[in-house]
Each structure stands twice: as C-alpha cells, then as structure tokens.
Amino acid sequence: MRKKVIAGNWKMNKTVEEGLALATEVANITKDEVPSDVQVVICVPYIALAPVSKVLNSRVALGAQNVHQKESGAYTGEISATMLASVGVSYVIIGHSERREYFGETNAQLAEKVNIAMAQGLTPLFCCGETLQQREQGIHIDFVNSQLTESLFHLSAEDIKKVVIAYEPIWAIGTGVTASDEQAQEMHAKIRSHLASKYGAAVADEISILYGGSMKPDNAKGLLACKDIDGGLIGGASLKARDFISIAKSY
Ligand code: PEP
C-alpha cells in the first residue's frame, strides 16, 4: 500500500514565534483527529526548523523547503543535508517551481540535491509540473516526464521507492485555480506509467505521488479520491492549522 502524505509548504511565511504556535496547533490536532495511516509533514523556513522540531509529536514529520547540493564548504548562505538531518528534518522539498523559476535550479542540479538528501536519509519531496503554455501546446506530459527522467532516473529501484513525487502544475500554484480531478488524475497516471517504463509496474505502484496547486478543504476530497493521487503538497492552506488538517482528514 502506498504511503498517504499531506505536506504543508509554509514558503517564506511566519516568524519563529508564529511558526511555533502553528506547528503546535498542527501537532495537537493531528494527534487527535488525523487517521494514523496519513503522514502529516510541515515544511517550514530554515530558521524555524530547530525550534519547531521541539514542539512536534510523532505524528507530524519535519520538512525543509530546499537543500544545497554540496556536502559542505564555501557556499555562503546555504544549508546542507547534514545540517538538516542534525535538527530532526526527515523530508525536504526539492525542485519546487518557485526555486526553478526564481533561483534557476536545473534538472541536473536537482539530481544532485536528491542524491545528497538521500545520502543523509532524508525523503525528497520532488516537485514537477508544467506551465499553462506548455499544457496549451500539448507538451505537458513530455515536459513532466523529462523532469523526472533528468532528476530521478539515475536512482536505483530501491532508492526511487523512497522518493515522494509532487505533481504541481505551475498554473495552479497560489492562483486559486486547481487542476480538475480528471486533469490531475490523468497526469498522475502518466507519471506512474513513466516510472513503470523505467522501473517496472511493481516499483511504480509503491511510489506516492502527491498533487499540489491550490488544494483547499473544499476541493481536497475529490482530488484525494483519485486512484493515482496519494496526498497533497499544500501552500496557502497550510498556514491555517484547521484548513490544513481538514485536508488531511479528507481521505
Ligand atoms: C505549493 O507552493 O507547493 C502550493 C501547492 O501552493 P498553493 O497550495 O498555495 O497553490
């Protein structure tokens, strides 16, 4: 059975104090209300990782939003996978479209990030997704497949099973426009069959594929009911504990 994951991406929001209050609320409600087969993750700003790790319980995993691809050294302002692991991080978002767009992260760099994260035992939450223009041109499936091929397909079958993939159509992120259940399911099925073409159906069947892009309490149920959607990566709605948890309870 595939792991169900509901992950929040706080992006560049919340002071440490505000983050501690939100994380405490998420941890308490998750413990009381979220079924134990749903893994809740919160991906918080770097500065909040260490303090937030102290207020989480065993039901909520700690995630980072990025990691540098090198082990250590003269990379001013960057954070390594070893540093993340040392404060209790277990998940890390890699390849979010905002990092690809604003920080020029390439598929080749992301492959290195995946490797260094996994070497530290972190689970990559690997993001892929197309622009509206690519969808309108009908090249969205090939584009997403190439993101996966170039950043993940060097992994062994054992290792790819440890990665969580998040399909996030760029036109749906932070826009209030969600992919329809059918559009999302179609792409998730294509991603799974692309994984199967490289690793075989049995391996592809074990890989969790999350949907991200304006997922909210009122549209989560339909999306999460789709056969190939195994959870969500949630931006805006993860900033309110009740909204976030109501998505986690939508299964
Ligand atoms: C995201 O940034 O990963 C995301 C899905 O954001 P939002 O839910 O706000 O669209």
Side-chain angles (χ1 to χ4, degrees), residues 132-202:
L132 185 57
Q133 198 188 21
Q134 287 164 332
R135 178 165 278 266
E136 285 171 352
Q137 288 170 349
I139 57 171
H140 52 300
I141 292 166
D142 286 347
F143 180 76
V144 168
N145 284 347
S146 69
Q147 289 181 316
L148 299 172
T149 303
E150 290 176 32
S151 299
L152 295 180
F153 277 17
H154 61 285
L155 295 174
S156 67
E158 261 331 288
D159 280 346
I160 191 96
K161 286 197 271 184
K162 298 179 194 152
V163 174
V164 173
I165 293 172
Y167 167 58
E168 300 207 301
I170 295 169
W171 46 274
I173 296 180
T175 57
V177 178
T178 318
S180 67
D181 300 348
E182 294 72 26
Q183 284 172 320
Q185 167 55 31
E186 182 198 25
M187 183 60 99
H188 281 235
K190 295 286 184 201
I191 290 172
R192 204 175 299 290
S193 84
H194 189 55
L195 292 165
S197 72
K198 164 81 178 169
Y199 295 100

Side-chain angles (χ1 to χ4, degrees), residues 16-221:
V16 170
E17 200 183 337
E18 290 164 348
L20 279 171
L22 176 56
T24 305
E25 208 185 342
V26 168
N28 289 338
I29 317 180
T30 300
K31 176 167 61 66
D32 294 339
E33 300 182 20
V34 178
S36 59
D37 63 338
V38 178
Q39 176 64 64
V40 173
V41 183
I42 51 174
C43 300
V44 312
Y46 281 147
I47 196 170
L49 287 168
V52 163
S53 73
K54 308 253 173 357
V55 301
L56 296 183
N57 54 37
S58 61
R59 294 297 321 285
V60 181
L62 184 61
Q65 299 172 14
N66 182 30
V67 62
H68 194 264
Q69 62 270 28
K70 300 290 183 209
E71 179 80 49
S72 63
Y75 301 101
T76 302
E78 293 295 329
I79 301 284
S80 73
T82 315
M83 293 172 190
L84 296 180
S86 76
V87 293
V89 168
S90 48
Y91 284 78
V92 58
I93 297 175
I94 293 179
H96 192 282
S97 60
E98 289 153 14
R99 296 222 46 100
R100 292 176 188 262
E101 181 179 351
Y102 305 134
F103 302 95
E105 294 190 356
T106 62
N107 289 339
Q109 241 171 11
L110 299 176
E112 289 186 71
K113 290 187 182 217
V114 166
N115 291 344
I116 202 114
M118 294 187 79
Q120 284 300 321
L122 307 178
T123 299
L125 275 169
F126 181 81
C127 300
C128 56
E130 81 286 358
T131 62
L132 185 57
Q133 198 188 21
Q134 287 164 332
R135 178 165 278 266
E136 285 171 352
Q137 288 170 349
I139 57 171
H140 52 300
I141 292 166
D142 286 347
F143 180 76
V144 168
N145 284 347
S146 69
Q147 289 181 316
L148 299 172
T149 303
E150 290 176 32
S151 299
L152 295 180
F153 277 17
H154 61 285
L155 295 174
S156 67
E158 261 331 288
D159 280 346
I160 191 96
K161 286 197 271 184
K162 298 179 194 152
V163 174
V164 173
I165 293 172
Y167 167 58
E168 300 207 301
I170 295 169
W171 46 274
I173 296 180
T175 57
V177 178
T178 318
S180 67
D181 300 348
E182 294 72 26
Q183 284 172 320
Q185 167 55 31
E186 182 198 25
M187 183 60 99
H188 281 235
K190 295 286 184 201
I191 290 172
R192 204 175 299 290
S193 84
H194 189 55
L195 292 165
S197 72
K198 164 81 178 169
Y199 295 100
V203 170
D205 260 352
E206 285 189 45
I207 299 172
S208 297
I209 308 175
L210 318 186
Y211 169 79
S214 299
M215 196 187 251
K216 306 264 185 275
D218 61 354
N219 59 27
K221 220 181 175 68

